[in-house]
Amino acid sequence: MLESTGAAVREPLRVVVMVSGGGTNLQAIIDGVKDGTITNTQIVGVISNNKNAYALKRAEENGISSRCVSPKDFETRDAFNAKLLETVDGYEPDLVVLAGFLVVIPPEMIEKYENRMINIHPSLIPSFCGKGYYGLKVHEAALERGVKVVGATVHFVDEGTDTGPIILQKAVEVQQGDTPEILQRRVMEQAEWKILPRAIDLIANGKVRVDDHKTMIMP
């Protein structure tokens, strides 16, 4: 099992990916496992809150088990949270990957999967992150502020919003004439699709250690 010290990893690392939309980051993970960029890793399940998410189709096409757990199907949020955690637990994951999952993670899940749940965010945290910063909103805010460099961050998930220990970051230059859509695509291609697979591979090989809310990448 993965531990916060990075000392012990079961092979292969059992990964569950949670996603709400198209699943481009999921595809990057699938491709990474296939081409050996991500080693010692098996994607055991994909979970979405959206039954129409193309990510579920990607899972099906690659023979990966998938489930839809939507808040709309439950009378209370507590009932949804319980089912979501039950579904995640059912896959017995070593690592949970939030790859564009636009639902608040239950506190019980955050506690249970401390230092075993990671998220990809399309900015260089602590810039343009926190409540309300997701999807195109991040890139709209960056362009409005006139920053010259943006990027992406992979971090562990804690009880805050985008406040967990940072694992990897990669910068991307803003170009003249960028729209939020163009910038979003460049950040995905040049940063997200590279550092998310890299982070999973590092974790799968016991090279990520968390100490005092900071990560260390071991040689």
Side-chain angles (χ1 to χ4, degrees):
M1 294 291 291
L2 175 65
E3 297 179 354
S4 61
T5 61
V9 175
R10 181 173 67 187
E11 297 183 7
L13 188 79
R14 295 175 59 86
V15 172
V16 163
V17 183
M18 302 176 68
V19 59
S20 294
T24 54
N25 276 305
L26 168 63
Q27 190 64 54
I29 299 169
I30 292 171
D31 292 344
V33 171
K34 285 184 176 181
D35 66 21
T37 303
I38 304 174
T39 59
N40 298 333
T41 297
Q42 177 187 7
I43 307 171
V44 295
V46 171
I47 298 172
S48 180
N49 63 297
N50 175 11
K51 66 180 181 180
N52 296 316
Y54 190 68
L56 296 174
K57 182 68 172 177
R58 294 182 192 272
E60 179 185 350
E61 291 175 347
N62 288 275
I64 302 169
S65 173
S66 63
R67 300 283 188 277
C68 176
V69 185
S70 172
K72 298 177 182 178
D73 296 332
F74 297 86
E75 292 186 1
T76 67
R77 193 67 178 206
D78 285 346
F80 163 75
N81 287 345
K83 184 62 177 179
L84 185 64
L85 181 55
E86 176 188 318
T87 305
V88 172
D89 287 347
Y91 284 113
E92 299 183 348
D94 299 313
L95 182 69
V96 177
V97 178
L98 307 183
F101 190 65
L102 303 180
V103 174
V104 175
I105 301 299
E108 298 83 3
M109 185 181 298
I110 293 173
E111 181 179 359
K112 182 167 187 176
Y113 289 94
E114 181 181 8
N115 294 335
R116 294 195 294 142
M117 183 186 303
I118 65 175
N119 179 56
I120 179 78
H121 183 75
S123 78
L124 295 174
I125 292 173
S127 296
F128 309 111
C129 69
K131 188 176 181 179
Y133 284 103
Y134 60 90
L136 277 178
K137 295 180 183 296
V138 175
H139 307 291
E140 290 169 351
L143 290 175
E144 182 178 353
R145 183 62 182 86
V147 297
K148 306 306 180 186
V149 178
V150 291
T153 303
V154 179
H155 64 92
F156 284 110
V157 177
D158 65 4
E159 63 280 358
T161 304
D162 303 324
T163 57
I166 292 170
I167 304 169
L168 292 175
Q169 294 184 297
K170 193 174 191 304
V172 175
E173 290 187 2
V174 178
Q175 298 180 7
Q176 293 288 340
D178 272 347
T179 64
E181 292 80 7
I182 291 173
L183 186 56
Q184 180 185 52
R185 183 71 185 186
R186 189 181 312 116
V187 169
M188 288 193 295
E189 292 177 346
Q190 296 185 9
E192 294 181 44
W193 299 347
K194 297 183 183 298
I195 63 174
L196 184 55
R198 176 62 177 157
I200 295 170
D201 183 66
L202 288 169
I203 292 169
N205 289 282
K207 294 184 178 181
V208 178
R209 176 176 177 174
V210 180
D211 187 11
D212 193 25
H213 205 68
K214 296 181 178 65
T215 64
M216 295 180 59
I217 308 299
M218 313 301 287

